[in-house]
Amino acid sequence: MKIFIAGASGAIGGHLVPQLVARGHEVVGTTRSAAKTAALRALGAEPVIVDALDPDSVADAVARAEPEVIVHQLTALSGPPDFRHVKRMAEATDRLRTEGTDHLLAAARAAGVGRFVAQSNAMWMERSGGPVADEDGRIEPNPPADIARSVAALRHLEEAVTGITWGDGIALRYGGFYGPGTGISAEPGAVMTEQIGRRKFPIVGGGGGVWSLVHITDAASATVAAIERGKPGIYHVADDEPASVRDWLPELARALGAKPPRRVPAPLVRLLAGKGPVDLMTRARGVSSEKIKRELGWAPRHPTWRTGFTEGLR
């Protein structure tokens, strides 16, 4: 198939593009930066520079590409997490998940695209119903005020994509990425790895928030499965072992050769960084990926972060 990947130069694009090319697909990949076109070409994609917030730029690129599938991987999450300025840090990604999604969907409909696959996020599942949610679970309806705009942007993306009637709309709720090309890897410059090494990524409160993680190559292979044979709706993409922050974060620090993470009282973090980061660290729910395994035959190469941290960070 001919596949148009919006945001192909991001973390997942570096793994998704070569997997698709290896399977015989033709890939057109967008980037905002001319400096990244050579890297996309080296991966096997035809690069195109697109401003995802300009509807005319998006419509023109999609019309020229004439794809059968559009994959929405647009984010603006590079750089170190700034928990003291959560709203400002997330603003660009929020616009890509709202305005950017709408522009891509309009272009897809005009071009007769049959399938639309979009990146969502599993970190903000509704904070009730047990430690692990399946796809029947919804995005948290009452998030902390300082993160409400970002959660609403996720909700907008999912509703817009899965609500299309002219094609197959698929939203992938990914767990937290780790591995080469992400912020958690053994590569120089990996931003979260550096923060963990400096003990600036602490366990907040009791660290009881449950996170689902996924190696970036597994996230890419799940996306390939959704592109090739997914059904309209939502799929969770994560490994088989959701775990509390207090369990997985010390293991990650150990795998990186760093000192154990500090422990910081929740009220202090709430005062300095707001309620959103505290909620993620203390109330988050994990997700089950049984649906994508059952329906699409996907299986992660790293079924647990325990081996993934020791074998898959390089």
Side-chain angles (χ1 to χ4, degrees):
M1 295 182 290
K2 191 168 189 182
I3 300 166
F4 183 97
I5 302 179
S9 60
I12 196 169
H15 301 273
L16 178 59
V17 170
Q19 288 190 27
L20 289 169
V21 170
R23 294 177 64 82
H25 300 296
E26 182 180 354
V27 178
V28 175
T30 80
T31 178
R32 291 172 293 174
S33 171
K36 295 182 179 180
T37 57
L40 281 175
R41 190 173 287 111
L43 292 174
E46 176 189 343
V48 57
I49 299 172
V50 175
D51 179 357
L53 297 178
D54 179 346
D56 293 333
S57 175
V58 174
D60 181 65
V62 171
R64 288 176 181 272
E66 299 182 323
E68 297 161 77
V69 181
I70 287 180
V71 183
H72 176 2
Q73 294 286 351
L74 294 165
T75 65
L77 296 174
S78 59
D82 181 2
F83 291 122
R84 294 194 181 191
H85 303 94
V86 172
K87 288 185 179 180
R88 187 172 67 193
M89 179 179 70
E91 182 177 1
T93 292
D94 294 342
R95 291 190 66 194
L96 291 171
R97 287 174 172 160
T98 52
E99 298 170 49
T101 298
D102 292 346
H103 299 336
L104 280 169
L105 285 172
R109 183 172 186 174
V113 175
R115 177 164 294 176
F116 193 103
V117 180
Q119 176 187 144
S120 186
N121 185 290
M123 298 300 293
W124 286 100
M125 300 303 297
E126 187 171 13
R127 303 309 199 219
S128 62
V132 178
D134 63 18
E135 285 81 358
D136 290 333
R138 59 179 180 169
I139 298 294
E140 170 58 42
N142 298 299
D146 55 332
I147 202 71
R149 184 184 63 191
S150 294
V151 177
L154 281 176
R155 189 179 300 109
H156 174 90
L157 179 147
E158 291 191 0
E159 292 176 353
V161 170
T162 61
I164 64 174
T165 57
W166 41 263
D168 295 336
I170 300 169
L172 301 178
R173 288 176 181 159
Y174 296 107
F177 294 153
Y178 70 94
T182 74
I184 301 176
S185 77
E187 300 169 314
V191 292
M192 283 187 64
T193 294
E194 290 185 353
Q195 290 209 327
I196 291 169
R198 296 172 183 171
R199 305 186 81 191
K200 291 185 176 181
F201 196 91
I203 296 171
V204 176
V210 176
W211 289 30
S212 283
L213 303 172
V214 62
H215 193 277
I216 192 70
T217 58
D218 288 328
S221 69
T223 308
V224 172
I227 290 168
E228 293 182 340
R229 53 191 182 277
K231 300 175 183 178
I234 295 172
Y235 291 98
H236 289 168
V237 178
D239 72 16
D240 299 337
E241 191 177 357
S244 62
V245 176
R246 62 174 172 259
D247 291 331
W248 67 260
L249 186 53
E251 291 299 321
L252 176 58
R254 186 177 297 111
L256 293 168
K259 293 180 179 180
R262 302 180 191 276
R263 289 180 175 266
V264 180
L268 177 60
V269 177
R270 191 176 295 115
L271 178 66
L272 295 174
K275 295 181 179 179
V278 174
D279 191 285
L280 277 175
M281 287 288 195
T282 61
R283 300 183 67 228
R285 296 174 71 200
V287 296
S288 165
S289 299
E290 290 305 310
K291 178 183 175 181
I292 193 170
K293 293 179 186 177
R294 180 179 66 252
E295 292 190 1
L296 306 187
W298 174 75
R301 290 182 59 192
H302 299 281
T304 169
W305 48 269
R306 296 181 188 277
T307 55
F309 288 170
T310 58
E311 300 170 1
L313 293 181
R314 285 179 170 79

